[in-house]
Amino acid sequence: MPHARPPDSPLAARFLASPNRGERRGHGRPNCLILHYTGMPTGEAALDRLLDPASEVSAHYFIWEDGAIDQLVAESDRAWHAGKGSWKGESDLNSASIGVEIVNPGHDGGLPPFQDRQIAATIALARDICARWAIAPERVLAHSDIAPARKRDPGDAFPWETLWRGGVGSWSERAPLSGGPMFSHEEEGPPVRALQALLALYGYGVEITGVYDRQTRQVVAAFQRHFRTEKVDGEADASTVARLKALIDGLGPK
Ligand SMILES: [Zn+2]
C-alpha cells in the first residue's frame, strides 16, 4: 500500500493508512495513551481488520511480535480504538488519546506472554509519544481502564511493571497479598462509597452508589488487571486498596 506520508514516530517502519479515522473533536492534542492487545489469532488478521473500512476500527500504531512498528493513523487524527469509555470524566477517549495495538491473541488465545522485543518496542514508542505530547505517566492507560465493563485488554499478562521500570506509566510498590475481600457483594455503606470515590479520583468511570455492585467489581478488576495482576478477581482487598492509595498519593498536587 504505497503512501507518501512518513510516520510521525521515527520508530515506526511503515505508514499504512487506515481509512478508519476522523478529526479530533474538542482537543487540539492527545492527552493520554491507550494500550490494547489485538485479541486475534494472528497479527496479519488483526492488521487486515484495522485497515478494512468495513470494520470501522483502527489505531495509531501497531506493534508486531518481533518489535516492528507500523503506523496506521496520523497522530493529529482521531483513530477509532477506544469506543465507549470514560477516564477523568472524559468520554470521547478517541479524541483525547493515541491508541496502540500490540499483537497478542489475548484472553481468547490463552493469554500467552508478550515477546521481550515487542515490549521493548512498546516502551520505546510510548516514551517517544509521551515526550512529544507531554502525556503524564498516569495517563498511560489500558483499554480495560477506560472501559471496565466491556474490555479486558491488554490483559492480565501485560507487563505494566516492566513498562514502568522502562520509564512508561505509573506503578505502585507491591503490597503483599493478604486477607480476603473487604466487602461482600451488594454490601452497602460509607466504606464502599469511599472506595468508589478513590477509584473515581484516580480516573475510573465508576458511579458512586455506595453499593459494592457489579460495576464496582468490574472497575476493581480493571484496576487489578493493571496494578495488581497477581490476583484479578474484582474483590477489594487490603493490597488492592493500598496500591490504589499509593497511586493517588503519587499524583501530587494538581
Ligand atoms: Zn482494545
Side-chain angles (χ1 to χ4, degrees), residues 111-198:
L111 285 174
F114 290 79
Q115 304 295 316
D116 289 346
R117 284 184 297 177
Q118 190 180 31
I119 292 305
T122 302
I123 289 171
L125 179 65
R127 288 180 66 129
D128 171 48
I129 292 168
C130 291
R132 284 188 289 105
W133 292 105
I135 295 172
E138 67 271 18
R139 287 182 165 274
V140 177
L141 303 170
H143 197 191
S144 48
D145 287 324
I146 64 126
R150 296 189 303 117
K151 294 293 176 181
R152 292 183 290 175
D153 64 310
D156 318 26
F158 191 73
W160 288 104
E161 184 175 3
T162 305
L163 264 69
W164 176 70
R165 295 195 184 283
V168 175
S170 297
W171 188 249
S172 71
E173 293 303 325
R174 286 177 185 280
L177 278 174
S178 68
M182 298 164 70
F183 307 112
S184 54
H185 290 190
E186 306 307 316
E187 181 174 336
E188 187 169 2
V192 179
R193 183 174 292 270
L195 171 67
Q196 291 170 330
L198 288 175

Side-chain angles (χ1 to χ4, degrees), residues 36-37 81 101 143 151 153:
H36 305 259
Y37 64 46
H81 58 97
E101 285 280 358
H143 197 191
K151 294 293 176 181
D153 64 310

Side-chain angles (χ1 to χ4, degrees), residues 37-246:
Y37 64 46
T38 50
M40 292 180 71
T42 68
E44 286 78 7
L47 182 62
D48 283 350
R49 181 162 183 264
L50 296 169
L51 297 176
D52 176 2
S55 76
E56 300 191 334
V57 292
S58 64
H60 293 92
Y61 291 96
F62 187 90
I63 305 182
W64 296 89
E65 290 102 325
D66 68 359
I69 300 171
D70 288 327
Q71 184 169 6
L72 313 181
V73 174
E75 291 180 6
S76 55
D77 284 343
R78 182 177 181 272
W80 303 345
H81 58 97
K84 189 170 158 34
S86 173
W87 191 259
K88 294 253 182 196
E90 170 65 65
S91 57
D92 182 3
L93 273 308
N94 279 336
S95 285
S97 68
I98 286 178
V100 177
E101 285 280 358
I102 304 164
V103 175
N104 184 283
H107 288 82
D108 291 345
L111 285 174
F114 290 79
Q115 304 295 316
D116 289 346
R117 284 184 297 177
Q118 190 180 31
I119 292 305
T122 302
I123 289 171
L125 179 65
R127 288 180 66 129
D128 171 48
I129 292 168
C130 291
R132 284 188 289 105
W133 292 105
I135 295 172
E138 67 271 18
R139 287 182 165 274
V140 177
L141 303 170
H143 197 191
S144 48
D145 287 324
I146 64 126
R150 296 189 303 117
K151 294 293 176 181
R152 292 183 290 175
D153 64 310
D156 318 26
F158 191 73
W160 288 104
E161 184 175 3
T162 305
L163 264 69
W164 176 70
R165 295 195 184 283
V168 175
S170 297
W171 188 249
S172 71
E173 293 303 325
R174 286 177 185 280
L177 278 174
S178 68
M182 298 164 70
F183 307 112
S184 54
H185 290 190
E186 306 307 316
E187 181 174 336
E188 187 169 2
V192 179
R193 183 174 292 270
L195 171 67
Q196 291 170 330
L198 288 175
L199 289 163
L201 182 62
Y202 193 64
Y204 287 94
V206 63
E207 211 183 320
I208 314 289
T209 59
V211 179
Y212 204 74
D213 47 15
R214 180 179 166 81
Q215 54 115 20
T216 307
R217 293 197 296 279
Q218 288 168 332
V219 170
V220 168
F223 177 83
Q224 292 168 333
R225 199 161 265 132
H226 188 153
F227 297 108
R228 214 285 298 275
T229 49
E230 305 97 295
K231 191 174 182 186
V232 179
D233 62 0
E235 306 296 345
D237 52 33
S239 95
T240 301
V241 173
R243 288 186 196 194
L244 174 58
K245 286 180 173 168

